[in-house]
Amino acid sequence: MSPLKVLIIEDDLNICELITLYIEKQGHIAIVANEGEDGLIKFYDDQPDFVILDIMLPKVDGWEVCKEIRSENSVIPIIMLTGMGESYDKIRGLDLGADDYIVKPFDPNELIARMKAVLRRTNGLVDESENIEWPSLSINMKEFKVFIGGREVTMPPKELELLYFFTSHPNQVFSRLQLLDQIWGYDFDGDPRTIDVHVKRLREKLGQPTSKWALKTIRGVGYKFEVDVSD
């Protein structure tokens, strides 16, 4: 793998030093910011390949940093660091577009392993991707774009990956755990309600179901992308 530029946005200097050490041991380049505002400046100026982002930051917190990065339609992988164990905080980070999270205190080897897992998932998705076309719905994963009724609709990476997975497997029913495994990875230990949040957002953006397809809830089981194949 070519060296990556990894932006570490963390106000604890000891944690920054530890993460930097492990990042550089992997042959990557560490860029450090100790405030959210400075982190955004370095994001724009240095154009990193990966972001490790603390939630509790001075001036501009991690939620806002993540939101701004994703508002730029950036698909850069983001792992959030948090001292909070509540499922709401984890779901909020993932809903804003983070790819994974890790709770402090953590083993830096686990952080490196999670980085590699995120890179495998995101790189594998793009390498295997192709355009998906359904009536009034078009998905281009190489450019990370989705068009509904001919209009481009912005989606965070995880929403788009979930939609791509559904539309790639029409009329197949998937449980929440299966979807977590496919999109977030087998080692994700978050709340299955994460899927419900993302499906709700997808439905809001997809609008009213067409006569040809709909994102359906299968009560007691999970979800499926139902397609009319009668023609």
Side-chain angles (χ1 to χ4, degrees):
M1 178 189 299
S2 300
L4 302 176
K5 289 192 293 184
V6 181
L7 175 58
I8 305 162
I9 310 177
E10 164 64 67
D11 63 334
D12 187 312
L13 300 183
N14 291 325
I15 292 178
C16 280
E17 185 177 347
L18 184 63
I19 295 175
T20 296
L21 175 64
Y22 276 77
I23 291 294
E24 292 179 344
K25 280 175 62 178
Q26 297 294 313
H28 304 312
I29 301 165
I31 304 165
V32 176
N34 301 126
E35 297 177 353
E37 186 175 351
D38 186 37
L40 285 170
I41 291 171
K42 290 183 176 178
F43 169 76
Y44 290 115
D45 288 348
D46 295 298
Q47 298 185 340
D49 305 297
F50 204 107
V51 174
I52 298 172
L53 174 62
D54 186 32
I55 291 178
M56 302 302 292
L57 294 168
K59 296 185 179 179
V60 180
D61 64 24
W63 304 126
E64 291 302 316
V65 173
C66 185
K67 186 185 299 183
E68 178 157 342
I69 290 174
R70 291 303 183 227
S71 73
E72 296 296 319
N73 291 331
S74 171
V75 297
I76 182 173
I78 299 174
I79 290 181
M80 299 196 82
L81 306 178
T82 174
M84 310 171 189
E86 296 296 326
S87 61
Y88 168 78
D89 298 299
K90 301 169 186 176
I91 291 173
R92 182 181 179 189
L94 295 167
D95 193 37
L96 287 174
D99 295 276
D100 203 352
Y101 66 88
I102 190 166
V103 179
K104 300 177 185 177
F106 57 86
D107 181 341
N109 288 307
E110 180 185 357
L111 175 60
I112 297 300
R114 286 180 179 265
M115 285 182 62
K116 291 178 178 178
V118 167
L119 288 168
R120 281 196 302 270
R121 293 199 301 270
T122 54
N123 290 343
L125 181 63
V126 173
D127 290 343
E128 297 169 5
S129 68
E130 59 182 22
N131 290 352
I132 296 289
E133 298 285 346
W134 292 103
S136 302
L137 176 62
S138 175
I139 303 171
N140 184 327
M141 287 304 292
K142 288 185 178 179
E143 297 182 6
F144 251 66
K145 292 182 178 180
V146 58
F147 297 87
I148 301 171
R151 177 176 59 91
E152 184 176 354
V153 176
T154 300
M155 292 184 181
K158 280 292 176 281
E159 281 182 22
L160 187 46
E161 290 171 25
L162 184 60
L163 179 61
Y164 177 81
F165 183 76
F166 274 129
T167 55
S168 300
H169 300 83
N171 294 325
Q172 295 185 42
V173 179
F174 296 97
S175 70
R176 291 170 178 82
L177 291 178
Q178 286 175 317
L179 293 168
L180 283 174
D181 181 42
Q182 289 292 330
I183 307 302
W184 280 270
Y186 72 92
D187 55 350
F188 177 75
D189 58 356
D191 195 318
R193 288 177 298 174
T194 298
I195 295 297
D196 299 334
V197 172
H198 281 71
V199 169
K200 179 176 181 292
R201 292 289 180 87
L202 281 178
R203 283 175 170 155
E204 290 172 353
K205 293 175 180 178
L206 290 172
Q208 294 297 320
T210 73
S211 59
K212 295 297 183 180
W213 54 262
L215 187 52
K216 290 290 189 71
T217 300
I218 309 302
R219 190 174 298 277
V221 181
Y223 299 98
K224 74 171 177 177
F225 184 72
E226 185 174 276
V227 177
D228 181 1
V229 293
S230 59
D231 290 343

